[in-house]
Amino acid sequence: MTTVASDERARLTRSAALASISMALFLGALKGWAAWKTGSTAMLGSLADTSLDLIASIAALIGVWVAAQPADHDHRFGHGKAEALAAIFQVILIVISAIGIAWRAVQQLLSGTQTQAADDGIVVSTIAILGTFALLVWQRHVIARTGSLAVRTDNVHYKSDLFLNLGVIAALVVDQYLGFSSADPLFGLAIALWLAWGAWRAAGEAIDHLMDREWPEERREEFLAVLAKHPDIRGVHDLRTRTSGADDFVQFHMAVDPRMTIVQVHDLMDQAEARIAREFPGVEVLIHPDPEGLINETGQAAEELLPGAGDGQ
């Protein structure tokens, strides 16, 4: 992910959310007409999904707008978790959409209702595929620049829309041109399962953000390796990391020579923070200095840094 300034990040995430809203409005109108013309369950499911996409995209816009607000008196760590909340709301809507599509498909299987006007449905689905693909390209660009969780979750269900619209086309072709009348509801069920799987995956990351999950082990090791380059940092313990929206937070205890003065320790902490800022831009750091050899409240001494600590690179 390329790091960008907070105002640029806000602009990019808002543009992605507004593009999603515009696309949902356009596709909703097209699919509403096509669902009325064809009577297709797959098309109706596609319309229902697009309608929920609109609500989810509005939630994403609110989420990225709130997340972009600076820290204030009541939210000292910023508003980054607003993106995770927006993502959870989007996941709920995706699940509702999947359940609705599956229910309609089962009803059609039982009743034996057939589709009509396949040509109209295929044209609308093709337009939807082209429009959705263009939106996905822009969303991927924004995600690469900002790492936005809300935009990433939005991207999940719009990516599902590609398969959904392809499924609609396949269902109409097999149903009306090949004479297999159960194709439409079966494709509808497959689409519902795909949406549910996408929701499951998207929920995991949102929950990780809300629950302050630690950084991946590889990134923690990279962070310790940066500290290990300083010759006066004797050890690190109680390392804690978390991510909130676009912001990363790190806190740790740092073992230092017990003979150092307060001023020297303060200078060492400034140097450590400057080194971290170069290697991990935008990370907010909280350091607690301890004299080397101190036994902490858990009865353990400070953990060793990675091999090479104190080399002074």
Side-chain angles (χ1 to χ4, degrees), residues 228-251:
K229 295 176 183 178
H230 199 295
D232 292 327
I233 299 178
R234 304 294 181 84
V236 169
H237 65 101
D238 291 341
L239 173 64
R240 300 178 185 181
T241 61
R242 67 186 180 93
T243 298
S244 178
D247 303 316
D248 288 309
F249 298 88
V250 177
Q251 63 183 66

Side-chain angles (χ1 to χ4, degrees), residues 186-233:
L186 289 176
F187 272 99
L189 283 173
I191 289 166
L193 291 173
W194 174 260
L195 288 173
W197 171 242
W200 174 263
R201 291 186 300 168
E205 187 172 2
I207 291 172
D208 284 346
H209 278 247
L210 291 173
M211 295 296 292
D212 290 334
R213 184 181 178 89
E214 285 285 329
W215 288 357
E217 191 60 34
E218 304 78 34
R219 195 177 186 207
R220 285 170 55 88
E221 290 177 359
E222 290 175 8
F223 186 86
L224 286 173
V226 170
L227 295 178
K229 295 176 183 178
H230 199 295
D232 292 327
I233 299 178

Side-chain angles (χ1 to χ4, degrees), residues 93 106 177 202 217 225 227 259:
L93 292 180
V106 170
Y177 298 128
E217 191 60 34
L227 295 178
R259 295 168 296 181

